[in-house]
Coordinates of all heavy atoms in Angstrom, one line a residue:
M1 N -14.3 -26.5 -22.1 CA -14.4 -25.4 -21.2 C -13.9 -24.1 -21.8 O -12.9 -24.1 -22.4 CB -13.7 -25.7 -19.9 CG -13.8 -24.7 -18.9 SD -13.1 -25.2 -17.3 CE -11.6 -24.3 -17.4
Q2 N -14.6 -23.1 -21.7 CA -14.2 -21.8 -22.2 C -13.9 -20.8 -21.1 O -14.6 -20.7 -20.1 CB -15.4 -21.2 -23.1 CG -15.0 -20.0 -23.8 CD -16.1 -19.5 -24.7 OE1 -17.2 -20.0 -24.7 NE2 -15.9 -18.4 -25.4
V3 N -12.8 -20.2 -21.3 CA -12.3 -19.2 -20.3 C -12.5 -17.8 -20.9 O -12.2 -17.6 -22.1 CB -10.8 -19.4 -19.9 CG1 -10.3 -18.3 -19.0 CG2 -10.6 -20.8 -19.4
Q4 N -13.0 -16.9 -20.1 CA -13.2 -15.5 -20.6 C -12.2 -14.6 -19.9 O -12.1 -14.6 -18.7 CB -14.6 -15.1 -20.3 CG -14.9 -13.7 -20.9 CD -16.4 -13.3 -20.8 OE1 -17.2 -14.1 -20.5 NE2 -16.7 -12.1 -21.1
F5 N -11.5 -13.8 -20.7 CA -10.5 -12.9 -20.1 C -11.1 -11.5 -20.0 O -12.0 -11.1 -20.8 CB -9.3 -12.8 -21.0 CG -8.6 -14.1 -21.1 CD1 -8.5 -14.7 -22.4 CD2 -8.0 -14.7 -20.1 CE1 -7.9 -15.9 -22.5 CE2 -7.3 -15.9 -20.2 CZ -7.3 -16.6 -21.4
N6 N -10.6 -10.7 -19.1 CA -10.9 -9.2 -19.1 C -10.0 -8.5 -20.0 O -8.9 -9.0 -20.3 CB -10.7 -8.7 -17.7 CG -11.6 -9.3 -16.6 OD1 -12.8 -9.4 -16.8 ND2 -11.0 -9.8 -15.6
T7 N -10.3 -7.4 -20.5 CA -9.5 -6.6 -21.4 C -9.4 -5.2 -20.8 O -10.4 -4.6 -20.4 CB -10.1 -6.5 -22.8 OG1 -10.2 -7.8 -23.3 CG2 -9.2 -5.7 -23.7
R8 N -8.2 -4.6 -20.8 CA -7.9 -3.3 -20.2 C -6.7 -2.7 -20.8 O -5.8 -3.4 -21.2 CB -7.7 -3.5 -18.7 CG -7.4 -2.2 -18.0 CD -7.2 -2.4 -16.5 NE -8.5 -2.5 -15.9 CZ -8.6 -3.0 -14.7 NH1 -7.6 -3.4 -13.9 NH2 -9.9 -3.1 -14.1
T9 N -6.7 -1.4 -20.9 CA -5.5 -0.7 -21.4 C -4.7 -0.2 -20.2 O -5.3 0.4 -19.3 CB -6.0 0.5 -22.3 OG1 -6.7 0.1 -23.4 CG2 -4.8 1.3 -22.8
I10 N -3.4 -0.5 -20.3 CA -2.5 -0.1 -19.1 C -1.3 0.5 -19.7 O -0.9 0.4 -20.8 CB -2.2 -1.4 -18.3 CG1 -1.4 -2.4 -19.1 CG2 -3.4 -2.0 -17.7 CD1 -0.7 -3.5 -18.4
L11 N -0.6 1.2 -18.8 CA 0.8 1.7 -19.0 C 1.7 0.9 -18.1 O 1.7 1.2 -16.9 CB 0.9 3.2 -18.8 CG 2.2 3.8 -19.0 CD1 2.6 3.7 -20.5 CD2 2.2 5.3 -18.7
P12 N 2.4 -0.1 -18.6 CA 3.3 -0.9 -17.8 C 4.5 -0.2 -17.3 O 5.0 0.8 -18.0 CB 3.7 -2.1 -18.7 CG 3.6 -1.5 -20.1 CD 2.5 -0.5 -20.0
S13 N 5.1 -0.6 -16.2 CA 6.4 -0.1 -15.8 C 7.3 -1.4 -15.5 O 6.8 -2.4 -15.2 CB 6.3 0.8 -14.5 OG 5.7 0.1 -13.5
V14 N 8.6 -1.2 -15.6 CA 9.5 -2.3 -15.5 C 10.6 -2.0 -14.6 O 11.1 -0.8 -14.5 CB 10.1 -2.7 -16.9 CG1 10.9 -1.6 -17.5 CG2 10.9 -4.0 -16.8
Y15 N 11.0 -3.0 -13.8 CA 12.2 -2.9 -12.9 C 13.1 -4.1 -13.2 O 12.6 -5.2 -13.1 CB 11.7 -2.9 -11.4 CG 12.9 -3.0 -10.4 CD1 13.7 -1.9 -10.2 CD2 13.1 -4.2 -9.8 CE1 14.8 -2.0 -9.3 CE2 14.2 -4.3 -8.9 CZ 15.0 -3.2 -8.7 OH 16.1 -3.3 -7.8
R16 N 14.3 -3.8 -13.5 CA 15.3 -4.9 -13.8 C 16.3 -5.0 -12.8 O 16.8 -4.0 -12.2 CB 15.9 -4.6 -15.2 CG 15.0 -4.7 -16.4 CD 15.8 -4.4 -17.7 NE 14.9 -4.5 -18.8 CZ 14.2 -3.5 -19.3 NH1 14.2 -2.3 -18.7 NH2 13.4 -3.6 -20.4
T17 N 16.7 -6.3 -12.4 CA 17.7 -6.5 -11.5 C 18.5 -7.7 -11.9 O 18.1 -8.5 -12.7 CB 17.2 -6.7 -10.0 OG1 18.2 -6.9 -9.1 CG2 16.3 -8.0 -10.0
E18 N 19.7 -7.8 -11.4 CA 20.6 -8.9 -11.8 C 21.1 -9.6 -10.6 O 21.6 -8.9 -9.6 CB 21.8 -8.5 -12.7 CG 22.5 -9.6 -13.3 CD 23.6 -9.1 -14.3 OE1 23.2 -8.2 -15.2 OE2 24.7 -9.6 -14.3
K19 N 21.0 -10.9 -10.5 CA 21.6 -11.7 -9.4 C 22.2 -12.9 -9.9 O 21.6 -13.7 -10.7 CB 20.4 -12.0 -8.4 CG 20.9 -12.7 -7.2 CD 19.8 -12.9 -6.2 CE 20.3 -13.6 -4.9 NZ 19.3 -13.9 -4.0
D20 N 23.4 -13.2 -9.5 CA 24.1 -14.4 -9.9 C 24.2 -14.5 -11.4 O 24.1 -15.6 -12.0 CB 23.5 -15.7 -9.3 CG 23.5 -15.7 -7.8 OD1 24.4 -15.1 -7.2 OD2 22.5 -16.3 -7.3
G21 N 24.4 -13.4 -12.1 CA 24.5 -13.3 -13.5 C 23.2 -13.5 -14.3 O 23.3 -13.6 -15.5
K22 N 22.1 -13.6 -13.6 CA 20.8 -13.8 -14.3 C 20.0 -12.5 -14.1 O 19.9 -12.0 -13.0 CB 20.0 -15.0 -13.7 CG 20.5 -16.3 -14.1 CD 19.6 -17.4 -13.7 CE 19.2 -18.2 -14.9 NZ 18.2 -19.2 -14.6
E23 N 19.5 -12.0 -15.3 CA 18.6 -10.8 -15.2 C 17.2 -11.2 -14.8 O 16.7 -12.2 -15.3 CB 18.6 -10.1 -16.5 CG 17.7 -8.8 -16.5 CD 17.7 -8.1 -17.8 OE1 18.8 -7.9 -18.4 OE2 16.6 -7.7 -18.2
K24 N 16.6 -10.5 -13.9 CA 15.2 -10.7 -13.5 C 14.4 -9.5 -13.8 O 14.9 -8.3 -13.6 CB 15.2 -11.0 -12.0 CG 13.8 -11.2 -11.4 CD 13.2 -12.6 -11.9 CE 11.8 -12.8 -11.3 NZ 11.1 -13.8 -11.9
V25 N 13.2 -9.6 -14.4 CA 12.4 -8.5 -14.8 C 11.1 -8.5 -13.9 O 10.5 -9.6 -13.8 CB 12.0 -8.6 -16.3 CG1 11.0 -7.5 -16.7 CG2 13.3 -8.6 -17.1
Y26 N 10.8 -7.4 -13.3 CA 9.6 -7.3 -12.5 C 8.7 -6.2 -13.2 O 9.2 -5.1 -13.6 CB 9.9 -6.8 -11.1 CG 10.7 -7.7 -10.3 CD1 12.1 -7.6 -10.2 CD2 10.0 -8.8 -9.6 CE1 12.8 -8.5 -9.4 CE2 10.8 -9.7 -8.9 CZ 12.1 -9.6 -8.8 OH 12.9 -10.5 -8.0
L27 N 7.5 -6.6 -13.5 CA 6.5 -5.8 -14.3 C 5.4 -5.4 -13.4 O 4.9 -6.2 -12.6 CB 6.0 -6.5 -15.5 CG 7.1 -7.0 -16.5 CD1 6.6 -8.1 -17.4 CD2 7.5 -5.8 -17.3
S28 N 4.9 -4.2 -13.5 CA 3.8 -3.7 -12.7 C 3.0 -2.6 -13.4 O 3.5 -2.1 -14.5 CB 4.2 -3.2 -11.3 OG 5.1 -2.1 -11.4
T29 N 1.9 -2.2 -12.9 CA 1.1 -1.1 -13.5 C 0.3 -0.5 -12.4 O 0.0 -1.1 -11.4 CB 0.3 -1.5 -14.7 OG1 -0.2 -0.4 -15.3 CG2 -0.9 -2.4 -14.2
T30 N -0.1 0.8 -12.6 CA -1.0 1.4 -11.6 C -2.4 1.7 -12.4 O -2.4 2.2 -13.5 CB -0.5 2.8 -11.1 OG1 0.8 2.5 -10.5 CG2 -1.4 3.4 -10.1
V31 N -3.5 1.3 -11.7 CA -4.8 1.4 -12.3 C -5.7 2.2 -11.4 O -5.8 2.0 -10.2 CB -5.4 0.0 -12.6 CG1 -6.7 0.1 -13.2 CG2 -4.4 -0.8 -13.5
F32 N -6.5 3.1 -12.0 CA -7.5 3.9 -11.4 C -7.2 4.5 -10.1 O -6.9 5.7 -10.0 CB -8.8 3.2 -11.4 CG -9.3 2.7 -12.7 CD1 -9.6 1.4 -12.9 CD2 -9.5 3.6 -13.7 CE1 -10.1 1.0 -14.2 CE2 -9.9 3.2 -15.0 CZ -10.2 1.9 -15.2
S33 N -7.4 3.8 -9.0 CA -7.6 4.3 -7.6 C -6.6 5.3 -7.1 O -7.0 6.1 -6.3 CB -7.7 3.2 -6.6 OG -8.5 2.2 -7.1
P34 N -5.4 5.4 -7.3 CA -4.5 4.4 -8.0 C -4.3 3.2 -7.2 O -4.1 3.3 -6.0 CB -3.2 5.2 -8.2 CG -3.1 6.1 -7.1 CD -4.6 6.5 -6.8
Q35 N -4.3 2.0 -7.8 CA -4.0 0.8 -7.2 C -2.9 0.1 -8.0 O -3.0 0.1 -9.2 CB -5.2 -0.2 -7.1 CG -4.8 -1.5 -6.4 CD -6.1 -2.3 -6.2 OE1 -7.2 -2.0 -6.5 NE2 -5.8 -3.5 -5.7
R36 N -1.9 -0.4 -7.3 CA -0.7 -1.0 -8.0 C -1.0 -2.5 -8.2 O -1.4 -3.1 -7.2 CB 0.5 -0.7 -7.3 CG 1.8 -1.1 -8.1 CD 2.9 -0.1 -7.7 NE 4.0 -0.2 -8.6 CZ 4.2 0.5 -9.7 NH1 3.3 1.4 -10.1 NH2 5.3 0.3 -10.4
Y37 N -0.8 -3.0 -9.4 CA -0.9 -4.5 -9.6 C 0.4 -5.0 -10.1 O 1.1 -4.4 -10.9 CB -1.9 -4.7 -10.8 CG -3.4 -4.4 -10.4 CD1 -3.9 -3.1 -10.5 CD2 -4.2 -5.5 -10.0 CE1 -5.2 -2.9 -10.2 CE2 -5.5 -5.2 -9.7 CZ -6.0 -3.9 -9.8 OH -7.3 -3.7 -9.5
N38 N 0.7 -6.2 -9.6 CA 1.9 -6.9 -10.1 C 1.4 -7.6 -11.4 O 0.3 -8.1 -11.4 CB 2.4 -7.9 -9.1 CG 3.0 -7.3 -7.9 OD1 3.8 -6.3 -8.1 ND2 2.7 -7.8 -6.7
L39 N 2.2 -7.6 -12.4 CA 1.9 -8.3 -13.7 C 2.6 -9.6 -13.8 O 3.8 -9.6 -13.6 CB 2.2 -7.4 -14.9 CG 1.6 -6.0 -14.9 CD1 2.1 -5.2 -16.1 CD2 0.1 -6.1 -14.9
S40 N 1.9 -10.6 -14.1 CA 2.4 -12.0 -14.2 C 2.1 -12.6 -15.5 O 1.0 -13.0 -15.8 CB 1.9 -12.8 -13.1 OG 2.3 -14.1 -13.2
P41 N 3.1 -12.5 -16.5 CA 2.8 -13.2 -17.8 C 2.5 -14.6 -17.6 O 3.2 -15.3 -16.8 CB 4.1 -12.9 -18.6 CG 4.7 -11.7 -17.9 CD 4.3 -11.9 -16.5
A42 N 1.6 -15.2 -18.4 CA 1.2 -16.6 -18.3 C 1.1 -17.2 -19.7 O 0.6 -16.5 -20.6 CB -0.1 -16.7 -17.5
A43 N 1.4 -18.4 -19.8 CA 1.3 -19.1 -21.1 C -0.2 -19.2 -21.5 O -1.0 -19.4 -20.6 CB 1.9 -20.5 -21.0
G44 N -0.5 -19.1 -22.7 CA -1.8 -19.2 -23.2 C -1.9 -18.7 -24.6 O -1.4 -19.4 -25.5
V45 N -2.5 -17.5 -24.8 CA -2.6 -17.0 -26.2 C -1.3 -16.6 -26.8 O -1.1 -16.8 -28.0 CB -3.5 -15.7 -26.1 CG1 -3.8 -15.2 -27.5 CG2 -4.9 -16.1 -25.5
M46 N -0.3 -16.2 -26.0 CA 1.0 -15.8 -26.5 C 2.0 -16.5 -25.6 O 1.7 -16.7 -24.4 CB 1.2 -14.3 -26.4 CG 0.3 -13.4 -27.3 SD 0.4 -11.7 -26.9 CE 2.0 -11.3 -27.6
P47 N 3.3 -16.7 -26.1 CA 4.3 -17.2 -25.2 C 4.7 -16.2 -24.1 O 4.7 -15.0 -24.3 CB 5.5 -17.4 -26.2 CG 4.9 -17.4 -27.5 CD 3.7 -16.6 -27.5
V48 N 5.1 -16.7 -22.9 CA 5.4 -15.9 -21.8 C 6.6 -14.9 -22.1 O 6.5 -13.7 -21.8 CB 5.8 -16.8 -20.6 CG1 6.4 -15.9 -19.4 CG2 4.6 -17.6 -20.1
E49 N 7.6 -15.4 -22.8 CA 8.7 -14.6 -23.2 C 8.3 -13.4 -24.1 O 8.8 -12.3 -23.9 CB 9.8 -15.4 -23.9 CG 10.4 -16.5 -23.1 CD 9.6 -17.8 -23.0 OE1 8.6 -17.9 -23.8 OE2 9.8 -18.6 -22.1
Q50 N 7.4 -13.6 -25.0 CA 6.9 -12.6 -25.9 C 6.1 -11.5 -25.1 O 6.3 -10.3 -25.3 CB 6.0 -13.2 -27.0 CG 5.6 -12.1 -28.0 CD 4.7 -12.8 -29.1 OE1 4.3 -13.9 -29.0 NE2 4.5 -12.0 -30.2
I51 N 5.3 -12.0 -24.2 CA 4.5 -11.1 -23.3 C 5.4 -10.2 -22.5 O 5.3 -9.0 -22.4 CB 3.5 -11.8 -22.4 CG1 2.4 -12.5 -23.2 CG2 2.9 -10.9 -21.4 CD1 1.6 -13.5 -22.4
E52 N 6.4 -10.8 -21.9 CA 7.4 -10.1 -21.1 C 8.1 -9.1 -21.9 O 8.3 -7.9 -21.5 CB 8.5 -11.0 -20.5 CG 8.1 -11.6 -19.1 CD 9.2 -12.4 -18.5 OE1 10.3 -12.5 -19.1 OE2 8.9 -13.0 -17.5
A53 N 8.6 -9.5 -23.1 CA 9.3 -8.6 -24.0 C 8.5 -7.4 -24.4 O 9.0 -6.2 -24.4 CB 9.9 -9.3 -25.2
V54 N 7.3 -7.6 -24.8 CA 6.4 -6.5 -25.2 C 6.1 -5.6 -24.1 O 6.2 -4.3 -24.2 CB 5.1 -7.1 -25.8 CG1 4.1 -5.9 -26.1 CG2 5.3 -7.8 -27.1
L55 N 5.8 -6.1 -22.9 CA 5.5 -5.2 -21.7 C 6.7 -4.4 -21.3 O 6.6 -3.2 -21.1 CB 5.0 -6.1 -20.5 CG 3.6 -6.6 -20.6 CD1 3.3 -7.6 -19.5 CD2 2.6 -5.5 -20.7
A56 N 7.9 -5.0 -21.3 CA 9.1 -4.3 -20.9 C 9.5 -3.2 -22.0 O 9.8 -2.1 -21.6 CB 10.3 -5.3 -20.8
E57 N 9.3 -3.5 -23.3 CA 9.6 -2.5 -24.3 C 8.6 -1.4 -24.2 O 9.0 -0.2 -24.3 CB 9.5 -3.2 -25.7 CG 9.9 -2.2 -26.8 CD 9.9 -2.8 -28.2 OE1 10.1 -4.0 -28.3 OE2 9.6 -2.1 -29.1
C58 N 7.3 -1.7 -24.0 CA 6.3 -0.6 -23.9 C 6.6 0.2 -22.6 O 6.3 1.4 -22.6 CB 4.9 -1.2 -23.9 SG 4.5 -1.8 -25.6
A59 N 7.0 -0.4 -21.5 CA 7.3 0.3 -20.3 C 8.5 1.3 -20.6 O 8.4 2.4 -20.2 CB 7.7 -0.6 -19.2
D60 N 9.5 0.8 -21.3 CA 10.7 1.6 -21.6 C 10.3 2.8 -22.5 O 10.8 3.9 -22.4 CB 11.8 0.8 -22.3 CG 12.4 -0.1 -21.3 OD1 12.4 0.0 -20.1 OD2 13.1 -1.1 -21.9
N61 N 9.3 2.6 -23.4 CA 8.9 3.7 -24.3 C 7.7 4.5 -23.9 O 7.1 5.2 -24.6 CB 8.6 3.0 -25.7 CG 9.8 2.4 -26.3 OD1 10.9 2.9 -26.1 ND2 9.6 1.4 -27.0
A62 N 7.2 4.2 -22.6 CA 6.0 4.9 -22.1 C 4.8 4.7 -23.1 O 4.1 5.7 -23.4 CB 6.2 6.3 -21.8
Q63 N 4.6 3.5 -23.5 CA 3.6 3.2 -24.5 C 2.5 2.3 -23.9 O 2.8 1.3 -23.2 CB 4.2 2.5 -25.7 CG 3.2 2.2 -26.8 CD 3.9 1.5 -28.0 OE1 5.1 1.3 -28.0 NE2 3.2 1.2 -29.0
E64 N 1.2 2.7 -24.1 CA 0.1 1.9 -23.5 C -0.1 0.6 -24.3 O 0.3 0.5 -25.5 CB -1.2 2.7 -23.6 CG -1.2 3.8 -22.6 CD -2.6 4.5 -22.6 OE1 -3.1 4.7 -23.7 OE2 -3.1 4.8 -21.5
V65 N -0.6 -0.4 -23.6 CA -0.9 -1.7 -24.2 C -2.3 -2.2 -23.8 O -2.8 -1.8 -22.7 CB 0.2 -2.8 -23.8 CG1 1.5 -2.5 -24.3 CG2 0.2 -3.0 -22.3
E66 N -2.9 -3.0 -24.6 CA -4.1 -3.6 -24.3 C -3.8 -5.0 -23.8 O -3.1 -5.7 -24.6 CB -5.1 -3.6 -25.5 CG -6.4 -4.1 -25.2 CD -7.4 -4.1 -26.4 OE1 -7.9 -3.0 -26.6 OE2 -7.5 -5.1 -27.1
I67 N -4.3 -5.4 -22.7 CA -4.0 -6.8 -22.2 C -5.3 -7.6 -22.0 O -6.4 -7.0 -21.8 CB -3.3 -6.7 -20.8 CG1 -4.1 -6.0 -19.7 CG2 -1.9 -6.1 -21.0 CD1 -3.6 -6.0 -18.3
Q68 N -5.1 -8.9 -22.1 CA -6.2 -9.8 -21.7 C -5.6 -10.5 -20.4 O -4.5 -11.0 -20.4 CB -6.5 -10.9 -22.8 CG -7.2 -10.3 -23.9 CD -7.6 -11.3 -25.0 OE1 -6.8 -12.3 -25.2 NE2 -8.7 -11.2 -25.6
F69 N -6.4 -10.5 -19.4 CA -5.9 -10.9 -18.1 C -7.0 -11.5 -17.2 O -8.2 -11.4 -17.4 CB -5.3 -9.7 -17.4 CG -6.3 -8.7 -16.9 CD1 -6.8 -8.6 -15.6 CD2 -6.8 -7.8 -17.9 CE1 -7.7 -7.7 -15.3 CE2 -7.8 -6.8 -17.5 CZ -8.2 -6.8 -16.2
V70 N -6.6 -12.1 -16.1 CA -7.5 -12.4 -15.0 C -6.8 -11.8 -13.7 O -5.6 -11.7 -13.6 CB -7.7 -14.0 -14.8 CG1 -8.5 -14.5 -15.9 CG2 -6.4 -14.7 -14.6
E71 N -7.7 -11.4 -12.8 CA -7.2 -10.7 -11.7 C -7.2 -11.6 -10.4 O -8.2 -12.4 -10.3 CB -8.1 -9.5 -11.4 CG -7.6 -8.4 -10.5 CD -8.4 -7.2 -10.5 OE1 -8.9 -6.7 -11.6 OE2 -8.7 -6.7 -9.4
S72 N -6.2 -11.5 -9.6 CA -6.2 -12.3 -8.3 C -5.5 -11.5 -7.2 O -4.9 -10.5 -7.5 CB -5.6 -13.6 -8.6 OG -4.2 -13.5 -9.0
Q73 N -5.7 -12.0 -6.0 CA -5.0 -11.4 -4.9 C -4.0 -12.5 -4.4 O -4.3 -13.6 -4.1 CB -6.0 -11.1 -3.8 CG -5.5 -10.4 -2.6 CD -5.1 -9.0 -2.9 OE1 -5.7 -8.3 -3.7 NE2 -4.0 -8.5 -2.3
T74 N -2.7 -12.1 -4.2 CA -1.7 -13.0 -3.7 C -1.2 -12.4 -2.4 O -1.5 -11.3 -2.0 CB -0.5 -13.1 -4.7 OG1 0.2 -11.8 -4.8 CG2 -1.0 -13.5 -6.1
K75 N -0.3 -13.1 -1.8 CA 0.3 -12.6 -0.5 C 1.2 -11.4 -0.8 O 1.5 -10.6 0.2 CB 1.1 -13.7 0.2 CG 2.3 -14.2 -0.5 CD 3.1 -15.3 0.3 CE 4.3 -15.7 -0.5 NZ 5.0 -16.7 0.3
F76 N 1.5 -11.1 -2.0 CA 2.3 -9.9 -2.4 C 1.4 -8.8 -2.9 O 1.9 -7.8 -3.3 CB 3.4 -10.3 -3.4 CG 4.3 -11.3 -3.0 CD1 4.3 -12.6 -3.5 CD2 5.3 -11.1 -2.0 CE1 5.1 -13.6 -3.1 CE2 6.1 -12.1 -1.6 CZ 6.1 -13.3 -2.1
G77 N 0.1 -9.0 -2.9 CA -0.8 -7.9 -3.3 C -1.6 -8.3 -4.5 O -1.6 -9.5 -5.0
A78 N -2.3 -7.3 -5.1 CA -3.1 -7.5 -6.3 C -2.3 -7.9 -7.5 O -1.2 -7.4 -7.7 CB -3.9 -6.3 -6.6
Q79 N -2.8 -8.8 -8.3 CA -2.0 -9.3 -9.4 C -2.9 -9.5 -10.7 O -4.1 -9.8 -10.5 CB -1.4 -10.7 -9.1 CG -0.7 -11.4 -10.3 CD -0.2 -12.7 -9.9 OE1 0.8 -12.7 -9.2 NE2 -0.8 -13.8 -10.3
M80 N -2.3 -9.1 -11.8 CA -3.0 -9.4 -13.1 C -2.2 -10.5 -13.8 O -1.0 -10.3 -14.1 CB -3.0 -8.2 -14.0 CG -4.0 -7.1 -13.5 SD -3.9 -5.7 -14.7 CE -4.9 -4.5 -13.8
Q81 N -2.8 -11.6 -14.1 CA -2.1 -12.7 -14.8 C -2.5 -12.5 -16.3 O -3.6 -12.5 -16.7 CB -2.6 -14.0 -14.3 CG -1.8 -15.2 -14.8 CD -2.2 -16.5 -14.1 OE1 -3.2 -16.6 -13.5 NE2 -1.3 -17.5 -14.3
I82 N -1.5 -12.1 -17.1 CA -1.7 -11.7 -18.5 C -1.4 -12.8 -19.5 O -0.4 -13.5 -19.4 CB -0.7 -10.5 -18.8 CG1 -1.0 -9.4 -17.8 CG2 -0.8 -10.1 -20.2 CD1 -0.1 -8.2 -17.9
F83 N -2.4 -13.0 -20.4 CA -2.4 -14.0 -21.4 C -2.1 -13.5 -22.8 O -1.7 -14.3 -23.6 CB -3.7 -14.8 -21.4 CG -3.9 -15.5 -20.0 CD1 -4.6 -14.9 -19.0 CD2 -3.3 -16.7 -19.8 CE1 -4.8 -15.5 -17.8 CE2 -3.5 -17.4 -18.6 CZ -4.3 -16.7 -17.6
S84 N -2.4 -12.2 -23.0 CA -2.1 -11.6 -24.3 C -1.9 -10.1 -24.2 O -2.5 -9.5 -23.3 CB -3.1 -12.0 -25.4 OG -3.9 -11.0 -25.7
V85 N -1.1 -9.5 -25.0 CA -0.8 -8.1 -25.0 C -0.8 -7.6 -26.4 O -0.3 -8.2 -27.3 CB 0.4 -7.8 -24.1 CG1 1.3 -8.9 -24.0 CG2 1.2 -6.6 -24.6
K86 N -1.3 -6.3 -26.6 CA -1.3 -5.7 -27.9 C -0.8 -4.2 -27.7 O -1.6 -3.5 -27.0 CB -2.6 -5.8 -28.5 CG -2.7 -5.1 -29.9 CD -4.1 -5.3 -30.5 CE -4.9 -4.1 -30.4 NZ -6.2 -4.2 -30.9
P87 N 0.3 -3.9 -28.2 CA 0.8 -2.5 -28.1 C -0.2 -1.5 -28.8 O -0.7 -1.9 -29.9 CB 2.1 -2.4 -28.7 CG 2.6 -3.8 -28.8 CD 1.3 -4.7 -28.9
L88 N -0.5 -0.4 -28.2 CA -1.3 0.6 -28.9 C -0.5 1.7 -29.5 O 0.6 2.0 -29.0 CB -2.3 1.2 -27.9 CG -3.3 0.2 -27.2 CD1 -4.1 0.8 -26.2 CD2 -4.1 -0.5 -28.3
A89 N -1.0 2.3 -30.5 CA -0.3 3.5 -31.1 C -0.1 4.5 -30.1 O -0.9 4.9 -29.3 CB -1.1 4.0 -32.3
K90 N 1.2 5.1 -30.1 CA 1.5 6.1 -29.2 C 0.8 7.4 -29.5 O 0.7 7.8 -30.7 CB 3.0 6.4 -29.2 CG 3.6 6.9 -28.0 CD 5.1 6.8 -27.9 CE 5.6 7.2 -26.6 NZ 7.0 7.1 -26.5
K91 N 0.2 8.0 -28.5 CA -0.6 9.2 -28.7 C 0.4 10.4 -28.7 O 1.3 10.5 -27.9 CB -1.6 9.4 -27.5 CG -2.6 8.4 -27.5 CD -3.5 8.5 -26.2 CE -4.4 7.3 -26.1 NZ -5.1 7.3 -24.9
N92 N 0.1 11.3 -29.6 CA 0.9 12.5 -29.7 C 0.2 13.7 -29.0 O -0.7 14.3 -29.5 CB 1.2 12.9 -31.2 CG 2.1 14.1 -31.4 OD1 2.5 14.7 -30.4 ND2 2.5 14.3 -32.6
I93 N 0.6 14.0 -27.8 CA -0.1 15.0 -27.0 C 0.2 16.4 -27.5 O -0.5 17.3 -27.1 CB 0.3 14.9 -25.5 CG1 1.8 15.1 -25.3 CG2 -0.2 13.6 -24.9 CD1 2.3 15.2 -23.9
M94 N 1.2 16.6 -28.3 CA 1.5 17.9 -28.9 C 0.7 18.2 -30.1 O 0.7 19.3 -30.6 CB 3.0 18.0 -29.2 CG 4.0 17.7 -28.0 SD 3.6 18.8 -26.6 CE 4.3 20.3 -27.1
E95 N 0.1 17.2 -30.7 CA -0.7 17.4 -31.9 C -2.0 18.2 -31.5 O -2.7 17.9 -30.7 CB -1.1 16.0 -32.4 CG -1.8 16.1 -33.8 CD -2.1 14.7 -34.3 OE1 -1.1 14.0 -34.7 OE2 -3.2 14.3 -34.2
S96 N -2.2 19.3 -32.3 CA -3.3 20.2 -32.0 C -4.5 19.6 -32.8 O -4.4 19.1 -33.9 CB -3.0 21.6 -32.4 OG -2.7 21.7 -33.8
K97 N -5.7 19.8 -32.2 CA -6.9 19.4 -32.9 C -7.5 20.5 -33.6 O -7.6 21.7 -33.1 CB -7.9 18.8 -31.8 CG -7.3 17.6 -31.1 CD -8.3 16.9 -30.3 CE -7.6 15.7 -29.7 NZ -8.4 14.8 -29.1
P98 N -8.1 20.3 -34.8 CA -8.7 21.4 -35.6 C -10.0 21.9 -34.9 O -10.6 21.4 -34.2 CB -9.0 20.7 -36.9 CG -8.9 19.2 -36.7 CD -8.1 19.0 -35.5

């Protein structure tokens, strides 16, 4: 069986909290409409810990990433289940074009 993923470029955001000595990371992004999606790293192409780390780092650095995902609706709202992530080169908005 072959599974096909969607690909999209996003700018992730991260919210960190600590409870009972354990850090919890919540990841999300806003797309088009704007519509907010919860991001849920999933095992597959990359390990979950690696996906979380890349998304959190890119969120901290305001860096876009390309993701492979499937979209679903949960009781908490729209969700993107992410199977792989690739950081994109940061754009220099101050760079003038010839």
Side-chain angles (χ1 to χ4, degrees):
M1 184 172 101
Q2 185 176 1
V3 177
Q4 184 171 351
F5 300 116
N6 299 309
T7 301
R8 177 179 282 163
T9 299
I10 63 167
L11 182 60
S13 57
V14 64
Y15 171 74
R16 293 180 178 89
T17 185
E18 191 173 315
K19 185 176 182 183
D20 300 329
K22 285 189 125 187
E23 183 179 313
K24 180 70 178 167
V25 176
Y26 295 96
L27 299 160
S28 64
T29 192
T30 302
V31 180
F32 300 127
S33 318
Q35 180 175 357
R36 193 145 188 95
Y37 289 84
N38 292 315
L39 302 178
S40 176
V45 181
M46 297 171 69
V48 171
E49 297 80 14
Q50 184 180 10
I51 294 171
E52 270 184 6
V54 171
L55 288 173
E57 183 177 332
C58 288
D60 289 340
N61 296 328
Q63 183 177 358
E64 288 183 319
V65 295
E66 183 178 279
I67 60 172
Q68 288 186 324
F69 69 100
V70 292
E71 197 173 314
S72 61
Q73 186 67 35
T74 69
K75 66 180 180 179
F76 301 110
Q79 173 180 287
M80 290 180 187
Q81 193 171 17
I82 299 175
F83 297 93
S84 105
V85 20
K86 179 175 104 180
L88 300 176
K90 207 165 184 180
K91 297 174 185 170
N92 186 353
I93 59 173
M94 301 306 283
E95 188 177 285
S96 61
K97 297 189 179 194

